[in-house]
């Protein structure tokens, strides 16, 4: 019997199951499409419409962004009214405080803060200040302003008050300037404690050490003092430390210091200290002679107009009276202007009669280069070699002399170039030939009433040496380190001599700091007395 082949057809129940599955998938697909369509239609319906951009909408947009500057400049805005009231209120606050009305000042300040708060809020919100916001503040501030006016704080009172305050400040400023000048004058003329200490210690050494006196006498008999083949310098001073710096700086920069001879003259009080210092210290082999002005018996009232004037009671009153009664003119009453040491420069041929040429140095200079070439300068018959100053912050003759006086106007040219003492070469042969000392005496006598010039040694030097000046290169002598704070460093470095002309001397506390190093470089800090007195 034959077997039937296997039948691979699916049963009917299984086919019906698969049909139902496909049917359900179709239904779900259709439902999903319907939901998507409904959701999209709903979204389109709910989206807001974008209005068209018109000039009207642009204006509304700009109105919301407030320009506070335009508001303050507008005469009709409330911000402008608040700003004007604040300005006036601030002025009244100052006046009310000056009159002692602190309550009104506090009330005005409170309302000003309210105004500032309104303006700040308007700037933050970007909206103009409304009438409702500004009315309370404007009204309150206006009432306070009227109250201030009722108290006579009006414009005329304000102007008068401010003018009186301005005048008072001007007077105080003038008084402060005069007081500063007076104090500066006192400080510049007073002796620092260190210099006084140094003088005392050296004077004790002079009287306690006979060897010093013996060596001084030996130096006075030295043939080098009258040898015209050497280089001679004159220094007239009562300041031991300043003179020591002048001598030390000169020999330190000299090519042959042993060929230098110094003739120092001081007063009777400082002679022991000055002589002791130059005996106790060595200056590279140079010769130093110290003399007292009292040794010059020829320098008396019958010979010198200056000596005669010093002995006059009116002159003593003028130069030695209290500076508080001098009306701010204490610089003209400086006793140094009448000091014999200052006027000794006009008697150099009498002090060193055997010499032919000398260099005069002030005690407030520092030498930075070799000065011996100055002895070789051709003088062309002139007497004094000096650096002219008419190109700098100094003056011509008309600034020093009284050209309204006929004696001055008939003898001198007001535009003549001035020059400076401090570093000067003197041809003593030409001096004696022109009798400059007699010219000096003549002009001092003519100026007995101080009608030709005020005071000092430079004006009389200008007239005594008039027509007898040999100009030197300006690099030989740079002035102003005692008052000018803006001198070019290159000019100072190239100078043969720097001069601390002015009141701010390098040994004083009021010295200009940037220039002190040039002077202190030549101080002998290794000396015991300098360490104990000056460096304390």
């Amino acid at each position: 019997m034959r077997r039937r082949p296997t039948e691979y057809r699916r049963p009917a129940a299984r086919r019906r199951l698969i049909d139902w599955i496909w049917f359900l998938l179709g239904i779900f697909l259709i439902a999903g499409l319907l939901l998507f369509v409904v959701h999209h239609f709903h979204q389109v319906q709910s989206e807001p419409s974008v209005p068209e951009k018109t000039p009207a909408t642009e204006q509304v947009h700009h109105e919301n962004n407030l320009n506070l500057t335009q508001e303050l400049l507008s005469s009709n805005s409330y911000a402008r009214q608040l700003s004007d009231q604040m300005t006036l209120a601030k002025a009244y606050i100052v006046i009310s405080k000056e009159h002692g009305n602190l309550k009104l000042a506090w009330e005005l300040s409170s309302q000003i803060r309210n105004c500032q708060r309104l303006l700040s809020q308007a700037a933050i919100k970007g909206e103009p200040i409304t009438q409702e916001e500004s009315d309370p503040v404007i009204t309150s501030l206006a009432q306070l302003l009227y109250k201030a006016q009722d108290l006579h704080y009006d414009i005329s009172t304000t102007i008068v008050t401010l003018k009186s305050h301005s005048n008072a400040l001007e007077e105080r400023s003038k008084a402060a300037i005069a007081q500063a000048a007076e104090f500066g004058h006192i400080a510049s003329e007073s002796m620092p404690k260190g210099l006084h200490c140094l003088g005392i210690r050296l004077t004790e050494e002079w009287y306690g050490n006979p060897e010093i006196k013996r060596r001084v006498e030996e130096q006075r008999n030295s043939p080098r003092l009258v040898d015209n083949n050497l280089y001679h310098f004159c220094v007239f001073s009562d300041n031991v430390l300043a003179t020591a710096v002048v001598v030390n700086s000169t020999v330190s920069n000299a090519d042959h210091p042993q060929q230098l001879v110094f003739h120092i003259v001081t007063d009777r009080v400082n002679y022991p200290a000055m002589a002791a210092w130059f005996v106790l210290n060595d200056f590279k082999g140079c010769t130093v002679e110290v003399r007292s002005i009292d040794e010059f018996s020829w320098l008396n009232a019958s010979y010198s107009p200056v000596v005669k004037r010093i002995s006059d009671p009116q002159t003593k009153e003028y130069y030695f009276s209290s500076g508080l009664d001098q009306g701010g003119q204490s610089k003209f009453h400086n006793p140094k202007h009448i000091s014999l040491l200052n006027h000794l420069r006009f008697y150099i041929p009498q002090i060193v009669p055997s010499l032919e040429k000398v260099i005069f140095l002030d005690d407030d200079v520092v030498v930075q280069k070799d000065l011996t070439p100055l002895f070789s300068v051709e003088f062309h018959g002139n007497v004094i070699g000096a650096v002219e100053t008419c190109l700098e912050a100094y003056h011509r003759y008309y600034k020093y002399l009284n050209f309204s006086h006929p004696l001055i106007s008939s003898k001198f040219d007001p535009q003549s170039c001035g020059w400076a003492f401090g570093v000067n070469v003197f041809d003593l042969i030409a001096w004696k030939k022109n009798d400059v000392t007699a010219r000096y005496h003549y002009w001092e006598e003519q100026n007995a009433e101080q009608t030709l010039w005020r005071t000092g040694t430079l004006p009389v030097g200008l007239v005594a040496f008039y027509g007898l000046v040999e100009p030197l290169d300006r690099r030989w002598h740079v002035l102003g380190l005692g008052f000018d704070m803006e001198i070019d460093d290159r000019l100072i470095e190239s100078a043969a001599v720097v001069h601390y002309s002015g009141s701010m001397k390098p040994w004083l506390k009021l010295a200009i700091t940037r220039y002190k190093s040039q002077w202190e470089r030549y101080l002998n800090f290794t000396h015991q007395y300098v360490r104990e007195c000056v460096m304390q």
Side-chain angles (χ1 to χ4, degrees):
M1 182 175 179
R2 296 179 59 183
R3 295 182 59 183
R4 295 177 60 183
T6 305
E7 186 176 359
Y8 292 98
R9 292 181 299 174
R10 295 177 180 175
R14 189 174 180 181
R15 286 199 300 269
R16 284 195 297 270
L17 179 61
I18 294 173
D19 292 338
W20 277 106
I21 291 174
W22 282 108
F23 176 75
L24 290 176
L25 288 175
I27 291 176
F28 286 139
L29 181 61
I30 294 172
L33 289 174
L34 289 175
L35 288 175
F36 175 77
V37 171
V38 171
H39 177 72
H40 179 71
F41 178 77
H42 178 72
Q43 186 177 7
V44 171
Q45 291 293 330
S46 61
E47 185 175 312
S49 60
V50 179
E52 186 180 356
K53 199 171 188 179
T54 63
T57 58
E58 288 182 358
Q59 182 176 2
V60 171
H61 177 72
H62 286 297
E63 285 180 356
N64 289 335
N65 294 329
L66 174 67
N67 190 330
L68 190 58
T69 303
Q70 292 181 357
E71 283 286 307
L72 293 174
L73 295 177
S74 174
S75 58
N76 298 323
S77 67
Y78 294 108
R80 172 66 178 273
Q81 295 183 39
L82 290 171
S83 178
D84 291 344
Q85 282 190 326
M86 278 197 303
T87 302
L88 188 57
K90 289 177 180 178
Y92 282 138
I93 287 176
V94 175
I95 299 174
S96 60
K97 285 182 177 179
E98 292 176 352
H99 287 79
N101 195 342
L102 300 181
K103 180 180 179 182
L104 178 60
W106 182 85
E107 292 175 347
L108 288 170
S109 299
S110 177
Q111 292 302 322
I112 287 176
R113 287 193 294 271
N114 291 335
C115 291
Q116 292 172 340
R117 185 164 50 251
L118 274 180
L119 293 173
S120 300
Q121 291 175 355
I124 293 173
K125 292 189 299 184
E127 298 177 356
I129 299 175
T130 63
Q131 181 178 1
E132 291 76 12
E133 293 174 329
S134 61
D135 271 352
V137 179
I138 292 176
T139 302
S140 301
L141 196 51
Q143 291 175 353
L144 290 174
L145 295 177
Y146 283 126
K147 181 179 179 181
Q149 291 177 1
D150 289 338
L151 294 172
H152 304 291
Y153 299 161
D154 53 5
I155 298 299
S156 60
T157 303
T158 304
I159 294 175
V160 172
T161 302
L162 293 178
K163 186 176 181 179
S164 63
H165 279 286
S166 175
N167 292 336
L169 289 174
E170 185 176 358
E171 292 298 324
R172 290 174 61 185
S173 175
K174 290 180 180 179
I177 293 173
Q179 190 178 48
E182 183 64 31
F183 289 159
H185 167 72
I186 294 173
S188 64
E189 297 307 320
S190 60
M191 177 181 289
K193 180 181 177 181
L195 291 184
H196 181 71
C197 169
L198 180 63
I200 294 296
R201 297 298 299 273
L202 290 171
T203 302
E204 292 175 349
E205 190 74 26
W206 166 266
Y207 287 107
N209 189 350
E211 179 64 18
I212 295 178
K213 297 180 182 180
R214 186 189 63 80
R215 292 176 59 184
V216 168
E217 291 301 322
E218 288 181 358
Q219 289 179 349
R220 290 201 174 191
N221 297 322
S222 173
R224 294 169 57 87
L225 299 177
V226 294
D227 188 351
N228 281 295
N229 294 318
L230 302 177
Y231 303 104
H232 295 265
F233 297 81
C234 291
V235 184
F236 309 135
S237 173
D238 58 358
N239 189 324
V240 178
L241 203 61
T243 306
V245 169
V246 173
V247 174
N248 192 25
S249 63
T250 305
V251 299
S252 297
N253 293 283
D255 294 338
H256 304 285
Q258 67 277 4
Q259 296 181 8
L260 273 54
V261 180
F262 290 88
H263 304 269
I264 299 173
V265 181
T266 186
D267 56 19
R268 178 174 54 187
V269 175
N270 292 281
Y271 173 76
M274 191 79 74
W277 176 267
F278 285 100
V279 167
L280 294 172
N281 295 275
D282 177 65
F283 293 92
K284 297 188 176 182
C286 73
T287 301
V288 181
E289 175 196 29
V290 180
R291 302 175 70 181
S292 171
I293 196 172
D294 292 339
E295 299 176 26
F296 306 140
S297 58
W298 47 266
L299 192 59
N300 50 55
S302 62
Y303 175 68
S304 171
V306 175
V307 177
K308 182 179 179 180
R309 195 188 317 165
I310 291 175
S311 60
D312 183 59
Q314 293 183 355
T315 302
K316 293 180 179 179
E317 176 67 21
Y318 181 82
Y319 285 102
F320 298 97
S321 61
S322 173
L324 299 175
D325 301 327
Q326 295 167 1
Q329 300 295 316
S330 58
K331 63 179 180 179
F332 297 114
H333 296 252
N334 188 344
K336 282 197 172 183
H337 293 320
I338 201 67
S339 167
L340 277 181
L341 286 175
N342 257 3
H343 285 262
L344 278 186
R345 65 194 69 188
F346 299 105
Y347 298 103
I348 291 179
Q350 288 83 356
I351 296 173
V352 285
S354 301
L355 301 182
E356 297 176 355
K357 187 173 284 189
V358 299
I359 290 180
F360 166 76
L361 296 174
D362 264 331
D363 64 355
D364 55 351
V365 304
V366 172
V367 178
Q368 302 185 134
K369 299 185 185 305
D370 185 18
L371 296 185
T372 55
L374 282 174
F375 287 89
S376 303
V377 173
E378 178 58 49
F379 269 50
H380 306 97
N382 291 315
V383 175
I384 179 175
V387 172
E388 294 181 330
T389 57
C390 52
L391 298 179
E392 302 180 16
Y394 300 88
H395 310 297
R396 297 180 181 268
Y397 268 48
Y398 71 89
K399 287 292 185 179
Y400 295 102
L401 306 176
N402 178 20
F403 276 88
S404 63
H405 197 287
L407 188 59
I408 293 294
S409 59
S410 62
K411 299 285 187 180
F412 307 102
D413 179 6
Q415 294 298 327
S416 295
C417 191
W419 46 270
F421 279 124
V423 184
N424 307 101
V425 190
F426 291 108
D427 185 338
L428 301 184
I429 297 177
W431 182 312
K432 296 172 184 177
K433 181 179 178 180
N434 290 275
D435 203 359
V436 176
T437 302
R439 297 172 64 171
Y440 159 72
H441 285 169
Y442 169 78
W443 286 110
E444 280 290 343
E445 290 171 350
Q446 296 301 314
N447 193 47
E449 302 297 328
Q450 295 189 351
T451 57
L452 305 184
W453 61 84
R454 292 298 298 268
T455 187
T457 56
L458 181 56
V460 68
L462 294 177
V463 297
F465 292 101
Y466 186 69
L468 302 173
V469 180
E470 181 66 27
L472 300 177
D473 190 295
R474 62 178 302 195
R475 288 173 295 182
W476 283 111
H477 186 192
V478 173
L479 299 97
L481 277 71
F483 69 89
D484 189 352
M485 301 185 183
E486 299 180 354
I487 302 177
D488 193 334
D489 290 335
R490 293 172 296 180
L491 184 61
I492 295 176
E493 291 174 1
S494 64
V497 178
V498 291
H499 191 175
Y500 291 82
S501 54
S503 59
M504 292 182 279
K505 302 300 184 185
W507 54 83
L508 300 175
K509 289 185 177 180
L510 49 79
I512 300 175
T513 305
R514 64 178 288 235
Y515 303 142
K516 286 195 71 172
S517 60
Q518 279 84 1
W519 189 80
E520 292 178 340
R521 185 182 308 162
Y522 298 101
L523 274 180
N524 184 7
F525 288 109
T526 61
H527 197 281
Q528 177 185 355
Y529 295 161
V530 175
R531 293 197 309 269
E532 293 176 355
C533 296
V534 180
M535 297 180 64
Q536 295 298 325

